[in-house]
Amino acid sequence: MGACDDNEYPHLKQAMGLILQFHEHEKPILGICLGAQLIARAFGKPVFPHLRPEAGYYPIHLTEQAQDDPLASTLKGETFLMQFRQDTFELPVGAVRLMTDDVDANQGFRLGSTTYGFQPHFEAAPEFSRQWLAMSPDFVEEAQPGLVASFDYQVAAYDAAARKFCLALGHEWMMLICRRAERDTTN
């Protein structure tokens, strides 16, 4: 499913409406891949095919603005994270770019203090990633020739650091939710 596939998936428009409502009320939003693209689209930015689709693990870099961000700063140094996508987007007005890679500058961003979008699939366990590779062999070969043969190497080399980042970001995400809930109950 793509972020602009409204005809096949009419619920995407509803999701974008919820994104805008949650953002307006400063309720935490965490969009991963399609979710990040839907956030960009909800804020009026186009989502479109990238010149270089990404499949497999790619090195992700933090921007200078990410150093003080509670979620993004949990990424320590250059970390290879799983990618599986062909689309990208323009960064929404007012968004802070948090993460980049050598293929796409928009790997992670924050709008306000509670809306986050990340392109990498840091949440994807290797067994799920293998299923994606098997379901889309033509896309995989176009995005990263030879990936299927080298995927076990990539998992062995990069997955432990990706899991560590996922757990750290997940912890900070839950802390953000708790802080927002606490604020909402005291107001």
Side-chain angles (χ1 to χ4, degrees):
M1 149 184 349
C4 299
D5 293 344
D6 296 340
N7 289 337
E8 297 100 294
Y9 305 101
H11 69 278
L12 295 178
K13 288 184 179 179
Q14 292 173 321
M16 289 186 296
L18 285 173
I19 288 168
L20 293 173
Q21 284 180 348
F22 272 52
H23 181 78
E24 179 183 339
H25 295 285
E26 296 181 321
K27 294 186 181 295
I29 302 168
L30 178 62
I32 299 173
C33 195
L34 175 65
Q37 296 164 15
L38 288 173
I39 293 169
R41 189 169 167 225
F43 283 88
K45 292 302 179 179
V47 176
F48 49 90
H50 198 282
L51 296 175
R52 285 185 52 203
E54 292 182 295
Y57 287 81
Y58 286 77
I60 302 297
H61 316 281
L62 291 181
T63 65
E64 190 172 311
Q65 296 87 343
Q67 303 304 319
D68 295 327
D69 184 84
L71 272 62
S73 66
T74 61
L75 187 72
K76 302 300 181 198
E78 179 182 83
T79 301
F80 285 68
L81 298 176
M82 180 65 187
Q83 301 273 14
F84 196 80
R85 64 184 176 78
Q86 59 189 6
D87 293 334
T88 191
F89 51 85
E90 289 181 15
L91 206 60
V93 173
V96 176
R97 182 176 286 122
L98 301 171
M99 299 162 74
T100 67
D101 76 5
D102 297 336
V103 176
D104 189 346
N106 295 328
Q107 293 294 337
F109 67 92
R110 183 189 72 243
L111 277 165
S113 61
T114 59
T115 300
Y116 284 87
F118 295 101
Q119 290 274 48
H121 281 282
F122 50 82
E123 86 294 356
E127 55 271 18
F128 295 118
S129 299
R130 283 187 186 90
Q131 290 176 8
W132 295 341
L133 300 182
M135 290 178 1
S136 305
D138 294 338
F139 166 72
V140 170
E141 190 60 27
E142 175 190 342
Q144 193 179 121
L147 175 61
V148 172
S150 69
F151 192 68
D152 286 340
Y153 165 80
Q154 287 191 10
V155 169
Y158 308 127
D159 190 61
R163 296 293 111 235
K164 187 174 181 179
F165 170 62
C166 182
L167 290 172
L169 183 140
H171 177 266
E172 290 303 319
W173 172 247
M174 292 306 299
M175 296 304 296
L176 175 62
I177 291 171
C178 291
R179 286 190 302 272
R180 297 305 303 168
E182 186 176 292
R183 186 197 84 164
D184 289 348
T185 58
T186 60
N187 286 339

